[in-house]
């Protein structure tokens, strides 16, 4: 009672503060073969990595971990900790290319940045407009999701393996695209079937050819002629652009992959490079399909015919791209 009204001196307060330590919950976790120790009020440790690209093109990774104390503004997210660590190593905002976050306990994965961390990233956007934000499905990091500026990104295409048929693939790798759900490249297929055309409107006869061609092998590669190729061959109007035709074919359920800007005439190099085992065409050939009545034109499949790998499938009917177009025009007339 005698000392109740005595005010402690500033020096005494400083000594008391120096001796004070908040009650902490220390935990150890195993993540990626490492033991992680830390203090978390919520018992939810979060780890993050920021990847920066140097001026010489090399990459550097900076790790961060969330830190929580019993103060309203005392918590620090793992993302901001990793960004701060990169900044302390004199990395600039324009150097940041990706940031990944994970819960090592696998309780809240996939984990995206909180609103505060998103605000931090938005401040970096003027200098680095396409920062990839990764959220892993589990602590194994075997699969992940990617967002750029809040927009989900499509999964990457598998890396192109070398062809077992020839030493060089010429231009084919740049022209190939796999359909959704396809993982093997054409030359990896057990039985590769090839069919090509303009595929304007994708009418019923064309769909029938695709269905039958798919049943002939394990992988159906569909060649799509460019607008320039069609104009060169027929010197007529392009009824549908290449982008529309290619997009429609790539979404067809029978198609495994597409070959953009496919050559009009199939070559031996193309057959050997891609490992084509069968070439399919309809009894109403692609030249008739686009409405050409030229006689004596070069057979675009003469190489496949000589190799004995060409199969002519009876077309569903006499429907052609030209007849479909004329039908549309007739219906549009008043």
């Amino acid at each position: 009672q005698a000392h109740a009204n005595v005010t402690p001196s500033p020096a005494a307060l400083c000594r008391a503060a120096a001796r004070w330590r908040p009650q902490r919950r220390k935990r150890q976790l195993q993540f990626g073969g490492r033991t992680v120790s830390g203090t978390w009020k919520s018992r939810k440790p979060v780890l993050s990595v920021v990847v920066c690209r140097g001026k010489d093109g090399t990459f550097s990774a900076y790790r961060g971990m969330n830190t929580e104390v019993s103060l309203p503004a005392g918590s620090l997210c793992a993302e901001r900790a990793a960004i701060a660590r990169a900044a302390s190593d004199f990395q600039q905002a324009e150097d940041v290319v990706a940031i990944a976050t994970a819960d090592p306990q696998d309780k809240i994965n996939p984990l995206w940045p909180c609103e505060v961390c998103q605000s931090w990233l938005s401040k970096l956007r003027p200098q680095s407009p396409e920062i990839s934000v990764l959220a892993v499905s589990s602590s194994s990091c075997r699969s992940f999701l990617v967002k750029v500026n809040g927009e989900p990104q499509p999964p990457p295409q598998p890396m192109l393996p070398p062809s077992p048929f020839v030493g060089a693939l010429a231009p084919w790798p740049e022209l190939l695209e796999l359909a959704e759900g396809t993982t093997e490249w054409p030359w990896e297929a057990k039985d590769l079937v090839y069919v090509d055309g303009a595929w304007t409107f994708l009418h019923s006869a064309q769909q029938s050819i695709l269905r039958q061609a798919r049943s002939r092998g394990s992988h159906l590669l569909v060649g799509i002629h460019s607008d320039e190729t069609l104009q060169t061959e027929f010197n007529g109007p392009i009824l549908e652009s290449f982008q529309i035709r290619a997009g429609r074919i790539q979404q067809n359920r029978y198609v495994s992959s597409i070959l953009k800007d496919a050559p009009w005439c199939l070559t031996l190099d193309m057959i050997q490079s891609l490992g084509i085992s069968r070439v399919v065409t309809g009894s109403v050939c692609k030249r008739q399909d686009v409405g050409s009545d030229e006689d004596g034109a070069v057979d675009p499949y003469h190489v496949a015919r000589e190799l004995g790998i060409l199969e002519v499938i009876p077309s569903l009917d006499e429907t052609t791209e030209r007849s479909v177009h004329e039908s549309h025009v007739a219906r549009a007339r008043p």
Side-chain angles (χ1 to χ4, degrees):
Q1 182 69 26
H3 298 282
N5 296 324
V6 177
T7 302
S9 66
L13 288 175
C14 290
R15 287 193 297 271
R19 292 192 300 269
W20 178 82
R21 293 291 185 273
Q23 183 179 2
R24 301 190 295 178
R25 300 183 179 94
K26 291 188 176 180
R27 308 188 70 188
Q28 289 188 339
L29 299 169
Q30 293 294 325
F31 182 76
R34 294 175 176 268
T35 300
V36 180
S37 299
T39 301
W40 306 284
K41 179 180 63 175
S42 64
R43 299 189 179 184
K44 293 181 180 179
V46 176
L47 307 179
S48 187
V49 174
V50 167
V51 178
C52 299
R53 181 190 289 113
K55 299 298 185 291
D56 58 352
T58 59
F59 293 93
S60 301
Y62 298 90
R63 292 176 293 180
M65 183 172 61
N66 64 324
T67 305
E68 300 179 354
V69 295
S70 299
L71 290 174
S75 298
L76 180 64
C77 291
E79 295 93 335
R80 283 176 281 157
I83 293 173
R85 188 170 182 180
S88 66
D89 200 24
F90 303 103
Q91 296 286 356
Q92 304 298 315
E94 61 267 20
D95 300 331
V96 179
V97 295
I99 182 168
T101 306
D103 168 23
Q105 295 179 310
D106 279 334
K107 293 182 178 180
I108 52 177
N109 286 320
L111 184 60
W112 298 105
C114 67
E115 293 184 3
V116 177
C117 292
Q118 290 181 27
S119 299
W120 272 47
L121 293 174
S122 66
K123 296 294 184 180
L124 302 178
R125 194 170 298 161
Q127 290 78 32
S128 186
E130 294 188 354
I131 298 177
S132 297
V133 180
L134 284 71
V136 299
S137 60
S138 68
S139 58
S140 66
C141 301
R142 293 181 179 177
S143 60
F144 54 89
L145 302 173
V146 181
K147 289 184 179 181
V148 175
N149 297 331
E151 295 295 329
Q153 301 300 301
Q157 293 277 7
M159 294 184 65
L160 200 64
S163 169
F165 298 97
V166 292
L169 278 175
W172 312 126
E174 299 178 359
L175 303 177
L176 284 169
E177 284 190 14
L178 299 181
E180 184 176 357
T182 303
T183 57
E184 66 174 4
W185 291 97
W187 52 83
E188 296 177 321
K190 180 180 179 181
D191 193 4
L192 177 62
V193 179
Y194 178 78
V195 60
D196 62 9
W199 310 109
T200 304
F201 305 128
L202 195 58
H203 54 72
S204 57
Q206 292 174 337
Q207 295 188 46
S208 175
I209 289 295
L210 290 177
R211 177 179 57 81
Q212 295 184 70
R214 181 64 180 85
S215 67
R216 272 22 180 211
S218 60
H219 187 117
L220 178 59
L221 171 62
V222 180
I224 307 171
H225 302 310
S226 66
D227 296 342
E228 293 75 15
T229 297
L230 296 179
Q231 288 177 337
T232 300
E233 291 294 328
F234 307 109
N235 195 28
I238 303 300
L239 304 180
E240 277 190 323
S241 69
F242 174 80
Q243 288 77 12
I244 294 176
R245 295 184 284 115
R248 186 185 293 125
I249 285 293
Q250 194 168 17
Q251 295 176 6
N252 187 276
R253 60 176 176 170
Y254 301 116
V255 177
S256 305
S257 59
I258 65 172
L259 179 66
K260 299 179 294 184
D261 300 341
W264 182 259
C265 292
L266 199 58
T267 64
L268 180 61
D269 172 72
M270 177 178 166
I271 293 174
Q272 293 178 338
S273 297
L274 297 177
I276 297 172
S277 58
R278 186 187 300 262
V279 178
V280 169
T281 185
S283 56
V284 177
C285 68
K286 61 183 180 181
R287 184 173 292 277
Q288 295 170 316
D289 199 9
V290 296
S292 174
D293 54 359
E294 297 180 18
D295 294 327
V298 176
D299 178 12
Y301 305 114
H302 72 278
V303 174
R305 197 184 303 275
E306 292 175 358
L307 293 174
I309 62 173
L310 178 67
E311 180 181 359
V312 180
I313 298 177
S315 298
L316 180 66
D317 50 37
E318 298 299 318
T319 302
T320 64
E321 297 172 2
R322 186 67 60 182
S323 67
V324 172
H325 174 67
E326 292 173 351
S327 176
H328 289 172
V329 172
R331 286 199 299 267
R333 291 173 182 168

